Every structure is written in structure tokens, then in C-alpha cells.
């Protein structure tokens, strides 16, 4: 199938399909004219890529993981022994990032809570009106 059909089947924009190809995640055949030709297995591969991206994996890791993943009733199942350990490390990285973001949000909420209340639109409005807002 050609690019437009692939876009229709996967819901993924042409630009992303080209990006996946640049990252080594997809390898469609090329016609002599240079047009890409995708197979049914490429449709499934894009679904796997999208799932792994949604799980928070970077494309560099997805390129390593894809050969060790199979689909089983819509679930991705690791097939290489060392893959589970690698995915656990990635899960721990994501957990640390979440914890750091939660800490940042708590600090920001503390700053916001310390702002004096304004009856005419809040502290943000007072800063904007005074012209002292910097950004």
C-alpha cells in the first residue's frame, strides 16, 4: 500500500511515518520512482510503535525493543530474555520523572498559595496591570 493508504489505516501522519523510517523503526519498500510501499506487517509495526511511545519509551529504545516484541490479542509481549530488565529500568526512570514533577508541582502550589488574594482578579491580574510582569 502507498503512503496515503498507510495514513488512513494507521491514523498516523505522513511526516511521522517518515520520521519512524529515519529512526530505523520502519523500512518500507521503495519503488524505482522512490515511492514508499508499505505491507500489512508495517501497519502492525506502527501500532506497536504507537503503543510503546504511549508507554513513554523514546524512539531510540523502541528501535532496540521492536525485534523482541510480539502482539498477542492486542497486548505487547516481550520475547527476548533481557528485554524485561531493560523495560523495568525504563519504568523506574519514568517513576523518578513523575516524582520530580510532583515535587515541582507541590513547590509551585506553595508559591501560588502564598500569593495575596485580590478581589479584582487575583494576583496575576494585579501584576499584569502594574506592568511589572516579566517573562
Amino acid at each position: 500500500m502507498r503512503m496515503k493508504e498507510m495514513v488512513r489505516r494507521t491514523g498516523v501522519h505522513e511526516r511521522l511515518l517518515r520520521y519512524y523510517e529515519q529512526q530505523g523503526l520502519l523500512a518500507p519498500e521503495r519503488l524505482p520512482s522512490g515511492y514508499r510501499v508499505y505491507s500489512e506487517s508495517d501497519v502492525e509495526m506502527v501500532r506497536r510503535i504507537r503503543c510503546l511511545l504511549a508507554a513513554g519509551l523514546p524512539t531510540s529504545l523502541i528501535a532496540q525493543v521492536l525485534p523482541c516484541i510480539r502482539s498477542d490479542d492486542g497486548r505487547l509481549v516481550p520475547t527476548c530474555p533481557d528485554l524485561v530488565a531493560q523495560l523495568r529500568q525504563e519504568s523506574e526512570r519514568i517513576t523518578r520523572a513523575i516524582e520530580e514533577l510532583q515535587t515541582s508541582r507541590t513547590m509551585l502550589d506553595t508559591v501560588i498559595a502564598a500569593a495575596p488574594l485580590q478581589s479584582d482578579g487575583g494576583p496575576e491580574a494585579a501584576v499584569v496591570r502594574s506592568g511589572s510582569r516579566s517573562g
Side-chain angles (χ1 to χ4, degrees):
M1 78 190 80
R2 300 279 284 275
M3 176 75 78
K4 290 203 183 301
E5 177 66 10
M6 185 67 162
V7 168
R8 189 189 69 72
R9 295 271 311 275
T10 63
V12 174
H13 193 278
E14 292 177 19
R15 190 174 291 167
L16 274 177
L17 292 173
R18 287 188 205 102
Y19 176 73
Y20 297 162
E21 187 177 350
Q22 289 171 348
Q23 297 299 304
L25 304 177
L26 275 180
E29 290 184 40
R30 292 288 190 131
L31 296 176
S33 62
Y35 287 109
R36 293 166 176 84
V37 178
Y38 296 94
S39 66
E40 280 301 314
S41 63
D42 289 328
V43 172
E44 177 59 30
M45 187 65 67
V46 169
R47 289 187 181 126
R48 290 178 189 176
I49 292 166
R50 300 300 294 167
C51 184
L52 293 168
L53 284 168
L57 299 183
T59 56
S60 58
L61 183 56
I62 291 173
Q64 297 171 25
V65 166
L66 278 176
C68 295
I69 294 279
R70 69 176 168 80
S71 290
D72 183 17
D73 290 331
R75 290 182 328 163
L76 297 183
V77 179
T79 59
C80 300
D82 60 336
L83 179 58
V84 173
Q86 194 174 13
L87 293 176
R88 280 194 180 112
Q89 287 176 345
E90 192 61 22
S91 178
E92 290 168 5
R93 182 196 64 78
I94 291 170
T95 298
R96 286 190 304 275
I98 290 168
E99 289 168 354
E100 290 171 5
L101 285 170
Q102 287 173 330
T103 298
S104 295
R105 183 180 60 201
T106 299
M107 294 170 98
L108 184 57
D109 288 345
T110 301
V111 171
I112 292 168
L117 294 177
Q118 300 286 323
S119 61
D120 58 348
E124 178 71 12
V127 171
V128 171
R129 278 192 304 277
S130 71
S132 63
R133 182 177 197 161
S134 60

